[in-house]
Amino acid sequence: MIKILIVEDEIPARKKLRRFLDQVKETVSVEAEIDTVHEAVSFLKKTNSIDLILSDIELLDGNAFDIYHEVKVSCPIIFTTAYDQFLMNAFESNGIEYLLKPFSFERFQKAWDKFLLLRNNNATDHALFLKLNQIIGNRLEKYKTRFSANTSQGIYFFETTDILFFEADEGVVFAIDKTGKKHLLNRSTLKELETQLDPLYFFRINRSELVNKKFIERIERYSKNSLALKIAGYEKHLVTSQSNTPLFREWIEK
């Protein structure tokens, strides 16, 4: 018996998750359906028998990450949300999958299969927790998590997760952070950056710009074969090239 906790404040979304759980082959038991941060914290402090949490992010009384900051859970979490800017937070909070609404049963099944793989390879909750953190840690260590820039005052550092996008201008590469500040990178090209950055979060939309999925607020039609991207904290739109638009459409839904 697989014990499930659903953390979701929308009734239709909870019903959808119930339907999807009814379609999996394994026997499951939904132990509770919770719609607030407060109630989730209270529930998780009283039980450690949950095998999997299906969690929305924006709840009635706040952000679901407040739950997992206050209560240390030893089970994996599949996040289900309409917002894509919380990807990094999800992987830092026992997240094993990030399902963007609306998602199909096929997409849910892939997330479920990943959970089963983790579960079947570990005999205890403690072992599962260690395996999960190993997977997350290996992924984060594989890619560059911070950059440095030289100034007349010395070298300073900034985090990859704070970068809106990278921009190449006449052979020089800049990183634009969430405050709008431009950082001149040393001896870097966009081609090199593509190999250093996690492709789950970063995508080269044209010859001169490499964007962070976390900060894409809205996508608009620019031309027949190009899209305009509204980036959080940045006034101008970024435009995909015609050749990269089809690949971008696939990437943004992952």
Side-chain angles (χ1 to χ4, degrees):
M1 177 76 71
I2 299 174
K3 296 182 179 180
I4 308 290
L5 170 63
I6 295 177
V7 180
E8 171 63 68
D9 62 352
E10 298 178 355
I11 294 176
R14 292 203 298 267
K15 289 182 177 178
K16 180 178 181 178
L17 289 173
R18 284 273 195 173
R19 287 201 312 274
F20 285 177
L21 289 171
D22 287 341
Q23 295 179 59
V24 301
K25 297 178 181 178
E26 294 70 26
T27 302
V28 303
S29 171
V30 176
E31 300 296 294
E33 295 183 13
I34 292 172
D35 59 8
T36 67
V37 171
H38 177 76
E39 187 181 354
V41 168
S42 177
F43 178 86
L44 288 169
K45 283 184 176 180
K46 296 175 183 177
T47 181
N48 59 0
S49 62
I50 297 299
D51 298 309
L52 173 68
I53 299 174
L54 301 176
S55 178
D56 191 6
I57 293 177
E58 295 294 349
L59 302 175
L60 291 175
D61 61 344
N63 189 293
F65 294 117
D66 293 337
I67 302 169
Y68 311 114
H69 290 157
E70 186 166 346
V71 183
K72 189 172 183 179
V73 298
S74 59
C75 68
I77 305 168
I78 295 176
F79 286 96
T80 62
T81 178
Y83 305 94
D84 62 7
Q85 65 264 41
F86 301 112
L87 274 166
M88 185 60 75
N89 306 73
F91 282 110
E92 292 173 348
S93 303
N94 277 32
I96 60 169
E97 268 293 354
Y98 194 95
L99 302 180
L100 279 175
K101 298 175 181 177
F103 52 87
S104 64
F105 174 72
E106 288 71 24
R107 185 72 183 85
F108 178 83
Q109 182 70 59
K110 289 181 180 179
W112 182 258
D113 290 343
K114 182 183 288 188
F115 159 68
L116 293 179
L117 180 62
L118 284 171
R119 179 180 172 82
N120 292 338
N121 285 340
N122 296 273
T124 67
D125 285 343
H126 179 66
L128 176 60
F129 181 74
L130 294 177
K131 178 69 174 178
L132 178 61
N133 278 276
Q134 180 185 10
I135 291 172
I136 294 170
N138 288 344
R139 182 175 186 86
L140 294 177
E141 290 174 8
K142 184 179 179 181
Y143 300 105
K144 200 170 181 69
T145 58
R146 69 187 329 219
F147 286 84
S148 64
N150 289 330
T151 67
S152 57
Q153 288 77 37
I155 300 174
Y156 65 94
F157 300 90
F158 50 96
E159 301 300 312
T160 302
T161 53
D162 292 332
I163 297 172
L164 302 178
F165 64 96
F166 295 89
E167 177 184 55
D169 185 10
E170 297 184 356
V172 180
V173 176
F174 297 90
I176 292 80
D177 69 22
K178 59 185 180 182
T179 68
K181 183 178 180 180
K182 295 181 71 171
H183 306 271
L184 173 61
L185 300 185
N186 303 315
R187 298 182 299 277
S188 292
T189 67
L190 285 187
K191 187 174 182 180
E192 290 171 342
L193 287 175
E194 282 185 281
T195 65
Q196 298 171 358
L197 297 167
D198 191 337
L200 180 64
Y201 305 112
F202 288 90
F203 184 86
R204 190 168 179 176
I205 61 171
N206 53 47
R207 292 182 63 183
S208 60
E209 291 164 335
L210 186 64
V211 301
N212 186 346
K213 181 187 288 186
K214 174 182 175 182
F215 294 104
I216 298 176
E217 281 189 337
R218 189 172 66 253
I219 301 174
E220 302 171 359
R221 192 179 187 84
Y222 182 77
S223 67
K224 183 178 179 180
N225 298 309
S226 296
L227 300 170
L229 313 182
K230 175 64 180 70
I231 307 297
Y234 193 73
E235 292 184 2
K236 297 180 181 179
H237 284 68
L238 306 185
V239 179
T240 62
S241 66
Q242 293 186 18
S243 60
N244 285 6
T245 297
L247 291 175
F248 173 81
R249 289 181 183 276
E250 295 179 10
W251 170 79
I252 197 65
E253 295 181 358
K254 291 180 180 178

